Amino acid sequence: RGQRYTHILVDQTNHETLHAVSTLAAQNKPPRVIVLIPGTIEARQDVVGFDACVLPKPITEAELRDALRETLSNTPTSVESQPEEFHTTPTDEIENIVVLLAEDNEVNQEVATDMLTLLGCRIEIANNGAEAIEMIDPNKHDIVFMDCEMPEMNGLDATRFIRSHCPNSHNLPIIAMTANAQPTDRARCLDAGMDDFVPKPISLDILKDVLQKWVRSQK
C-alpha cells in the first residue's frame, strides 16, 4: 500500500486481480500491465478489457524481457505482433557524447542503452550511486542520467556528494530518472543538485529532447 509500481504481471485466470487492475487504467500514469494467458495468443485484447501486453503461457525469460523492454519504451503493444524496434536518427550535437548511466535494474539498463546508442551516444554504466561517484569524471562525461532509487547509495545522495566533492561538477548536467513523477519528487531531485527530471518509463523522444537541451546549454 502506498508504493508506486510501474508494471503488473498477472495471470488471466486470476479474475479478481484483473478486475482490480482494470480500475487503474483510468489513472493519469497507470502501471503497465502484462497479462499471461493459457494456451495460444489467439485471445484478443478485448478479453482483457483494457490496454495490456498479452503473452501466452508457458512464457520464456526472453519473451518476458522483450515485453518489459517494450512497455518501458512506450512502444505500442499488440497481441499479434512482436515488439517494435526503435527508429531515430542521431543529431550532430549529441552524437558521440559520453553518457554516464547510473541504474541498478538490468532491464532498464538495456532499454536506456538501446535508446542512447540509437541517438549516437557512448554509454558507461554504474550499477548504483556509489559506483557513479567512483566513475564520474566531468572532463570525460557530458551528461549523467541518475536513477533515484538504487541499492548501496541512491541517486539523491550520490548527486549531493558529487556536487559537494567533485571538482567542476557544477558544469556537468545530472538528470534524475524516476517513476515517482509528482511535483514534490521533482523538487527533491532539484534540491539534491540535479538539473532536470525524466519520468519512467522513459521514451525516446523525451530522452532526445533532454540530451539536446543540456548539451546545447554547455556550449
Side-chain angles (χ1 to χ4, degrees), residues 99-118:
V99 177
L100 178 60
L101 172 66
E103 167 66 65
D104 65 299
N105 182 280
E106 291 185 4
V107 174
N108 292 349
Q109 287 178 0
E110 290 186 16
V111 172
T113 297
D114 286 347
M115 291 184 179
L116 290 167
T117 299
L118 284 172

Side-chain angles (χ1 to χ4, degrees), residues 39-197:
T40 67
I41 198 98
E42 294 175 356
R44 320 309 298 182
Q45 271 187 295
D46 57 9
V47 174
V48 179
F50 54 93
D51 183 28
C53 178
V54 181
L55 299 175
K57 296 191 297 185
I59 184 174
T60 67
E61 180 180 347
E63 289 171 335
L64 180 57
R65 183 180 294 272
D66 285 344
L68 288 169
R69 291 178 67 181
E70 179 184 8
T71 56
L72 282 167
S73 65
N74 282 343
T75 307
T77 58
S78 169
V79 297
E80 297 178 316
S81 63
Q82 295 297 318
E84 300 176 15
E85 296 295 328
F86 303 127
H87 296 283
T88 191
T89 302
T91 60
D92 291 340
E93 60 191 346
I94 62 175
E95 192 168 10
N96 292 320
I97 67 171
V98 182
V99 177
L100 178 60
L101 172 66
E103 167 66 65
D104 65 299
N105 182 280
E106 291 185 4
V107 174
N108 292 349
Q109 287 178 0
E110 290 186 16
V111 172
T113 297
D114 286 347
M115 291 184 179
L116 290 167
T117 299
L118 284 172
L119 291 170
C121 304
R122 290 181 287 160
I123 306 100
E124 295 183 359
I125 296 177
N127 293 295
N128 54 58
E131 285 190 15
I133 289 173
E134 293 179 1
M135 295 174 61
I136 199 163
D137 183 352
N139 296 318
K140 176 184 180 181
H141 299 116
D142 296 292
I143 193 168
V144 178
F145 286 98
M146 184 80 73
D147 183 26
C148 290
E149 300 296 332
M150 293 183 288
E152 295 191 39
M153 178 179 283
N154 64 51
L156 299 176
D157 289 341
T159 300
R160 293 187 187 98
F161 186 94
I162 290 167
R163 293 306 193 203
S164 299
H165 296 84
C166 184
N168 300 321
S169 67
H170 60 282
N171 293 322
L172 179 64
I174 300 179
I175 313 302
M177 299 177 69
T178 178
N180 301 317
Q182 299 301 316
T184 53
D185 299 308
R186 182 183 182 92
R188 288 175 60 234
C189 294
L190 298 178
D191 288 344
M194 296 175 170
D195 297 287
D196 209 340
F197 185 98

